[in-house]
Amino acid sequence: MTVYDPPQGPLVILHSDHQVLLVDKPAGLLSVPGKGPDLTDCLIARVQAVFPDALLVHRLDRDTSGVMIFAMAPHAQRHLGLQFENRQTKKTYVARVWGEIAEKTGTVDLPLIVDWPNRPLQMVDHENGRSAVTDWRVVRKGGGETRVRLMPKTGRSHQLRVHMLALGHPILGDPFYATGQARDHPRLMLHSETLQFRHPDGGQGMRISAKCPF
């Protein structure tokens, strides 16, 4: 196992008000504490050091960067949590994947379940898996790779990673699902680019973005 050595640096705040806080999570930093004393450094701890009232709403994988939203009051946490649960938020991700995808757009509809002996890995399971749907669109391709924009319709663990693997195009730098040259990258090339949601105070639609670092 590799040593957990998350990047250090100031919080990158994308938006802050009395109900919501949006930050740009760096790749390599846990969203919440892991199991063990060496895994306590995480985004929620760093956020609460500056904003003590901040509450967790959702998570990003450790290796994924980009937009994460926190609630600044219990009411806002419930409001946002229901939006995620009822699929009323819209998320877009940018990824660099192995190989050049022939089609321009598509949808992956493959149910997922935890690969129990190999957890936290997930796998496709048509009988017992939970519904997982991802729309994708090619941004550009060349040099043996493709840049894609991913629009998940569901929020399963490792969904984008397993869905791109199922297409035959694993995300570059993925320590769990990529192999060989596809894995040999400094980080997982997956970034949460935009989040659309309704503001808990009044329901106004908001769209917050974080610039892709790769």
Side-chain angles (χ1 to χ4, degrees), residues 152-172:
K153 303 298 182 192
T154 50
R156 306 297 176 214
S157 179
H158 291 189
Q159 175 176 319
L160 302 178
R161 301 159 77 154
V162 177
H163 276 177
M164 297 318 290
L165 177 69
L167 282 183
H169 299 279
I171 297 174
L172 297 177

Side-chain angles (χ1 to χ4, degrees), residues 34-200:
K35 290 175 180 167
D38 55 333
L39 299 175
T40 55
D41 187 10
C42 59
L43 188 59
I44 183 75
R46 293 184 186 186
V47 164
Q48 288 175 341
V50 183
F51 301 91
D53 295 334
L55 299 165
L56 189 73
V57 175
H58 69 126
R59 306 177 190 198
L60 290 177
D61 289 346
R62 181 183 76 178
D63 300 317
T64 305
S65 57
V67 182
M68 253 185 87
I69 189 169
F70 296 87
M72 297 301 288
H75 148 77
Q77 185 186 39
R78 285 191 298 272
H79 194 284
L80 292 166
L82 283 170
Q83 290 184 56
F84 276 89
E85 194 178 313
N86 297 326
R87 303 180 188 175
Q88 294 168 335
T89 59
K90 283 189 179 178
K91 293 169 276 186
T92 64
Y93 290 75
V94 175
R96 286 169 55 195
V97 303
W98 177 258
E100 298 183 21
I101 302 177
E103 301 84 2
K104 290 182 179 175
T105 62
T107 299
V108 182
D109 185 352
L110 292 171
L112 301 177
I113 193 170
V114 65
D115 181 0
W116 198 249
N118 300 305
R119 59 190 186 278
L121 271 64
Q122 309 290 312
M123 63 183 184
V124 174
D125 185 329
H126 291 281
E127 289 186 11
N128 303 305
R130 298 172 73 192
S131 169
V133 181
T134 305
D135 291 337
W136 57 266
R137 177 163 47 86
V138 168
V139 178
R140 64 175 179 267
K141 58 187 174 181
E145 67 173 69
T146 306
R147 180 179 289 264
V148 289
R149 192 156 271 123
L150 305 172
M151 289 77 67
K153 303 298 182 192
T154 50
R156 306 297 176 214
S157 179
H158 291 189
Q159 175 176 319
L160 302 178
R161 301 159 77 154
V162 177
H163 276 177
M164 297 318 290
L165 177 69
L167 282 183
H169 299 279
I171 297 174
L172 297 177
D174 192 333
F176 287 146
Y177 303 100
T179 55
Q181 286 179 289
R183 185 172 178 168
D184 188 20
H185 287 262
R187 59 158 288 184
L188 174 72
M189 297 296 173
L190 180 63
H191 176 74
S192 172
E193 184 182 40
T194 64
L195 175 64
Q196 285 180 246
F197 62 97
R198 288 181 294 106
H199 197 281

